Amino acid sequence: MKRAWWKEAVVYQIYPRSFMDSNGDGIGDLKGITSKLDYLKQLGVDVVWLSPVYKSPNDDNGYDISDYRTIMDEFGTMEDFDEMLEAMHARGIKLVMDLVANHTSDEHPWFIESRKSKDNPYRDYYIWRPGKDGAEPNNWLSYFGGSAWQYDETTGEYYLHLFSKRQPDLNWENPKVRDEIYDMMTFWLDKGIDGFRMDVINAISKVEGLPDAPNPNGEKYVWGGQYFLNGPKVHDYLQEMHERVLSKYDIMTVGETGGVTTQDALLYAGEERRELNMVFQFEHTEKLDSGPGGKWDIRPWKLTDLKAIMSRWQYDLHGKAWNSLYLNNHDQPRSVSRWGDDKRYRVESAKMLATFLHMQQGTPFIYQGEEIGMTNVQFDSIEDYRDVEIHNLWQDRVVRGGQDPDVVMRAIHAKGRDNARTPMQWDDSENAGFTTGTPWIKVNPNYKEINVKNALADPQSIFYYYQSLIRLRHEHPVVVYGRYDLILEDHPEIYAFTRTLGDECWLVINNFFSGTPVFELPDHLPSEAPQLMISNYEVPENDDIRRIQLRPYESRVYRLS
Ligand code: GLC
Ligand code: CA
């Protein structure tokens, strides 16, 4: 397997609105980020992925961009950006920016022009269609609920928006749109940034004719992903993008690609394909604990299913493409609340989840606050939520749909995106040290206990555990490049695997629950001279690894040879 700096790196995702506020307006900003770079350096991460900081009316917190080349007023100025980038580079930290190119804001000048008239030169920058029998051009459901089409009175046509109605989809069929995007990417790369995380990049090519999706239950709007995810021209576009832009720089690219299989991923990220370096897959975050009704149809999950998913990605990509590894981000609930125990065993389970993830093959992504074990939040009132997706859901189900508000609120508590968007908890002072003003979204009330200050003061904290995991990766090529092999495949509580590079073999053991199951070492693995590399409990010296009674959420990593 070819070596590359981005394979050896650990990435830290910053959601700028919630990271650190420098001027007391309650909104995180670039100067706030710059002020915390020493903290990230101490953690040991190599790369920061910054969620969007471009000019935006914030219908979807910056994922609706009205000017790709200007910094959002609330976040600061281009000077602040340049200063931040320089300060990162001075510390050996690279910067990956969010590229949101499937859609813009409805306040982007292109869209303002586009909606003016059918013969406006910008008309074809977006996807406009006449209605069909007095209704929307097709029956597609938007990601955020309701129709994916919005009627526009000025010209009497509809425009497509896969996300909110304030996020019109760009028309990638139009070569001028592609030129604009490539120019804009070049602008940022020439500033010296180190790569892009590409928002919903596998949605940019829609199937010709935009056909209705099958609708067996006669619903008003239905999921039409098969007509816009991994569409017919997506690989042509990405190869063109690679040729025209990406190939000219030594950068890292990761595509956000909902609904991809490993076979799709080999096309996006295959080593020889000249498209992207990696993709984010969603099988463990979207399928594992959801029923047929989708995200809000919450089901218990099974460890054997998690193993099957993760292992398939490990095996199918090995030697051919590179995995990204993540358990949460700004769109997902907090990992310790979802897969661990955010009460009694919060610290143990957060460390266990980190071990499980960081010991796989791929590039790990840490989401801000994960390194101190931040948890989901339970606001009682819908008024305290800020996310457009949550508010659309509430309107749809409670206000218009008459569903039980308690049931919908429980789903929001479990899966809502604002779980990940409450302010970063820096200390136990008011508003967790995030702001001196009123935060744009309430702080999680558990900040007095869970915060960076406490974590840095406690040698046994989750923070220092992450620091050790990152150090192991930097010091041992087996952690980066070693082959992954699952063991104890059917065990319902223990997730164990080995990593092998040349003669070196590491064993990773994770107890995923609060029980105390016995780990039995498979016969083919050597037990003579195990060396403990990391663990989340004290381990007696010379413990016999052939049979280990595990403690709740216990993790151990041994070097076997
Ligand atoms: C991606 C982003 C999400 C955003 C959506 C639309 O899924 O991660 O936050 O709402 O794209 O841009
Ligand atoms: Ca601010």
Side-chain angles (χ1 to χ4, degrees):
M1 183 149 267
K2 276 191 226 128
R3 295 190 68 159
W5 65 261
W6 44 267
K7 294 180 179 174
E8 300 173 11
V10 176
V11 184
Y12 187 93
Q13 183 192 351
I14 291 182
Y15 194 68
R17 206 171 186 77
S18 303
F19 191 63
M20 182 64 199
D21 174 22
S22 72
N23 62 350
D25 67 354
I27 298 172
D29 46 49
L30 299 185
K31 279 193 187 305
I33 295 171
T34 306
S35 73
K36 294 296 184 185
L37 293 178
D38 287 333
Y39 168 72
L40 298 183
K41 187 69 198 159
Q42 188 182 358
L43 181 58
V45 297
D46 309 280
V47 178
V48 164
W49 150 28
L50 193 58
S51 278
V53 294
Y54 317 96
K55 188 165 183 209
S56 162
N58 285 303
D59 184 52
D60 187 19
N61 288 354
Y63 283 91
D64 49 320
I65 297 170
S66 55
D67 183 347
Y68 286 105
R69 298 175 194 229
T70 304
I71 299 295
M72 189 191 300
D73 289 339
E74 293 166 325
F75 289 173
T77 62
M78 195 57 93
E79 286 70 54
D80 297 339
F81 177 86
D82 293 339
E83 199 181 290
M84 177 190 75
L85 180 59
E86 208 185 303
M88 285 180 176
H89 285 168
R91 288 167 179 77
I93 296 174
K94 294 183 192 280
L95 176 63
V96 163
M97 300 275 281
D98 223 302
L99 177 77
V100 188
N102 174 69
H103 45 266
T104 67
S105 160
D106 62 346
E107 292 186 22
H108 195 290
W110 301 337
F111 190 73
I112 294 175
E113 285 301 310
S114 185
R115 78 196 319 179
K116 280 186 181 161
S117 67
K118 290 187 188 170
D119 56 8
N120 188 285
Y122 288 91
R123 187 67 169 180
D124 273 351
Y125 272 47
Y126 295 86
I127 303 174
W128 291 95
R129 293 288 183 278
K132 209 168 69 186
D133 312 322
E136 294 88 2
N138 73 23
N139 65 1
W140 294 359
L141 177 73
S142 124
Y143 273 93
F144 295 158
S147 173
W149 295 92
Q150 178 67 25
Y151 182 71
D152 201 53
E153 285 194 337
T154 315
T155 55
E157 288 192 335
Y158 293 80
Y159 63 86
L160 180 71
H161 62 89
L162 294 181
F163 293 87
S164 99
K165 61 174 190 280
R166 304 205 49 198
Q167 293 168 298
D169 278 53
L170 283 165
N171 175 20
W172 275 71
E173 299 267 343
N174 182 348
K176 281 195 223 144
V177 167
R178 306 204 299 275
D179 287 347
E180 301 258 22
I181 298 294
Y182 303 154
D183 282 355
M184 174 270 285
M185 293 171 74
T186 302
F187 165 82
W188 286 101
L189 289 165
D190 286 346
K191 270 188 167 294
I193 69 160
D194 305 287
F196 289 109
R197 173 269 186 188
M198 302 187 186
D199 194 63
V200 292
I201 196 66
N202 64 331
I204 58 178
S205 165
K206 281 81 176 168
V207 166
E208 186 144 328
L210 311 178
D212 274 322
N215 190 2
N217 302 324
E219 278 163 278
K220 194 148 181 221
Y221 307 113
V222 283
W223 177 243
Q226 64 271 41
Y227 302 117
F228 56 78
L229 293 179
N230 312 315
K233 296 191 188 147
V234 68
H235 295 293
D236 297 343
Y237 297 154
L238 287 175
Q239 285 179 15
E240 181 184 77
M241 181 194 285
H242 189 279
E243 166 79 25
R244 301 254 310 262
V245 184
L246 306 175
S247 59
K248 305 193 170 137
Y249 304 86
D250 176 21
I251 52 172
M252 173 188 136
T253 53
V254 51
E256 188 204 24
T257 52
V260 288
T261 63
T262 55
Q263 296 316 304
D264 298 323
L266 291 172
L267 299 178
Y268 287 109
E271 298 251 338
E272 311 302 332
R273 293 268 307 168
R274 303 181 66 77
E275 293 186 21
L276 304 176
N277 296 145
M278 347 169 211
V279 294
F280 289 125
Q281 60 89 9
F282 284 79
E283 288 191 58
H284 62 309
T285 47
E286 278 185 351
K287 288 192 181 158
L288 191 65
D289 57 2
S290 303
K295 166 168 181 170
W296 307 104
D297 176 13
I298 300 162
R299 302 291 164 94
W301 60 278
K302 282 192 5 222
L303 183 63
T304 44
D305 292 341
L306 180 66
K307 290 190 211 181
I309 291 170
M310 301 306 284
S311 302
R312 178 154 27 77
W313 281 87
Q314 291 286 308
Y315 292 134
D316 290 2
L317 267 52
H318 182 68
K320 301 185 189 129
W322 194 250
N323 269 295
S324 74
L325 306 169
Y326 76 99
L327 288 176
N328 47 195
N329 57 38
H330 65 293
D331 294 328
Q332 299 289 337
R334 291 281 178 181
S335 52
V336 70
S337 300
R338 189 177 195 177
W339 288 299
D341 172 350
D342 64 8
K343 305 258 155 31
R344 175 158 178 207
Y345 294 113
R346 186 182 65 87
V347 172
E348 292 83 353
S349 65
K351 291 176 181 175
M352 182 281 291
L353 289 166
T355 316
F356 143 74
L357 196 76
H358 284 239
M359 285 296 142
Q360 304 225 353
Q361 190 188 69
T363 299
F365 287 70
I366 300 169
Y367 179 67
Q368 67 183 41
E370 176 188 333
E371 78 282 11
I372 55 166
M374 279 178 62
T375 70
N376 281 354
V377 74
Q378 286 90 35
F379 296 135
D380 295 330
S381 162
I382 189 68
E383 305 299 318
D384 287 334
Y385 285 95
R386 296 287 173 267
D387 179 18
V388 57
E389 183 187 40
I390 292 178
H391 282 281
N392 284 359
L393 180 82
W394 191 263
Q395 284 298 321
D396 244 33
R397 304 226 169 150
V398 179
V399 179
R400 282 192 297 271
Q403 288 185 24
D404 181 349
D406 290 343
V407 172
V408 177
M409 198 48 110
R410 268 205 297 282
I412 292 171
H413 288 170
K415 286 278 188 76
R417 303 195 299 181
D418 281 339
N419 280 309
R421 299 177 180 184
T422 60
M424 181 73 184
Q425 293 163 207
W426 294 105
D427 59 35
D428 56 4
S429 69
E430 210 188 346
N431 294 318
F434 162 72
T435 181
T436 54
T438 308
W440 70 278
I441 185 172
K442 283 189 178 166
V443 174
N444 191 317
N446 64 21
Y447 73 93
K448 292 214 185 270
E449 182 204 345
I450 303 170
N451 61 58
V452 168
K453 189 172 154 222
N454 281 351
L456 293 178
D458 172 10
Q460 302 303 323
S461 71
I462 302 167
F463 177 90
Y464 290 115
Y465 194 87
Y466 269 86
Q467 192 186 52
S468 305
L469 282 171
I470 295 168
R471 197 176 302 125
L472 282 177
R473 168 170 298 262
H474 289 155
E475 289 172 0
H476 301 274
V478 64
V479 177
V480 180
Y481 296 106
R483 191 186 70 234
Y484 164 103
D485 287 289
L486 183 66
I487 58 173
L488 312 182
E489 184 176 341
D490 300 321
H491 200 292
E493 293 166 90
I494 300 173
Y495 188 159
F497 53 92
T498 57
R499 300 287 307 282
T500 312
L501 188 67
D503 302 335
E504 193 167 338
C505 177
W506 288 30
L507 168 67
V508 182
I509 307 168
N510 298 294
N511 176 12
F512 255 78
F513 301 98
S514 57
T516 55
V518 173
F519 169 84
E520 292 189 61
L521 187 74
D523 290 338
H524 71 275
L525 294 173
S527 61
E528 298 77 42
Q531 189 189 342
L532 186 68
M533 305 307 289
I534 190 167
S535 64
N536 62 349
Y537 282 86
E538 287 286 318
V539 173
E541 241 179 278
N542 304 321
D543 209 20
D544 184 356
I545 69 160
R546 284 172 302 179
R547 213 173 168 283
I548 307 171
Q549 171 125 42
L550 295 171
R551 289 158 284 186
Y553 297 98
E554 181 163 2
S555 265
R556 298 186 191 188
V557 178
Y558 285 102
R559 180 179 180 161
L560 299 181
S561 64

